[in-house]
Amino acid sequence: MADLSSLKDLGTSSEAAVAAPVHVRKVDSLGRSYATGKRKDAVARVWVKAGSGKIIVNGKDFTAYFARPVLQMILRQPIVAAARDGQFDIVATVAGGGLSGQAGAVRHGLSKALTYFEPGLRSVLKKGGFLTRDSRVVERKKYGKAKARRSFQFSKR
């Protein structure tokens, strides 16, 4: 560490130019990228590899697992935003929570796995907000309350 006694020394210091983090491609021996996605109580494990565009969730086609079109759209958002539709085979296992949380978890995991497979997509997915973990979870129930904040019905008599 260089001895910096004033701000003028900072400009001439060689340590001042710190490089931005370099994102490296992370692929296993089978050519797959792996990432974990989370949303509410749901946790998804997602594998991405080059392929024809098949999406399998818990052993079923994603259209069969997520029957509602909104959930299918949520799951496909990162692929569409990255303009990589039909280029990757995606296998996901998801557990916990409800269908909405599971779709969000798979979306989060898929976005992370895509950045590991192809680091150049990171800026597009980050701008879309797909790499941010939605940290909102259900508030815990408090004692003396019917739910987290709801009080019992008040009766004067």
Side-chain angles (χ1 to χ4, degrees), residues 73 93 97 120:
M73 183 262 308
T93 57

Side-chain angles (χ1 to χ4, degrees), residues 2-64:
D3 183 33
L4 301 174
S5 57
S6 70
L7 288 175
K8 291 176 187 163
D9 297 339
L10 184 63
T12 59
S13 174
S14 61
E15 296 174 17
V18 178
V22 178
H23 298 285
V24 185
R25 190 168 192 249
K26 297 177 187 171
V27 180
D28 67 4
S29 60
L30 298 174
R32 304 175 303 181
S33 271
Y34 168 79
T36 305
K38 294 181 181 182
R39 170 83 173 93
K40 293 187 178 179
D41 270 343
V43 179
R45 301 182 299 160
V46 183
W47 289 269
V48 170
K49 66 176 182 176
S52 59
K54 286 190 303 217
I55 303 175
I56 307 292
V57 178
N58 286 356
K60 297 180 183 177
D61 186 60
F62 84 106
T63 54

Side-chain angles (χ1 to χ4, degrees), residues 36-46 57-58 60 62 64-68 70-72 74-76 92-110:
T36 305
K38 294 181 181 182
R39 170 83 173 93
K40 293 187 178 179
D41 270 343
V43 179
R45 301 182 299 160
V46 183
V57 178
N58 286 356
K60 297 180 183 177
F62 84 106
Y65 192 82
F66 296 113
R68 289 187 296 189
V70 174
L71 299 179
Q72 296 172 17
I74 286 172
L75 192 141
R76 291 173 39 85
T93 57
V94 62
L99 284 177
S100 178
Q102 288 186 351
V106 173
R107 179 179 88 163
H108 183 231
L110 174 57

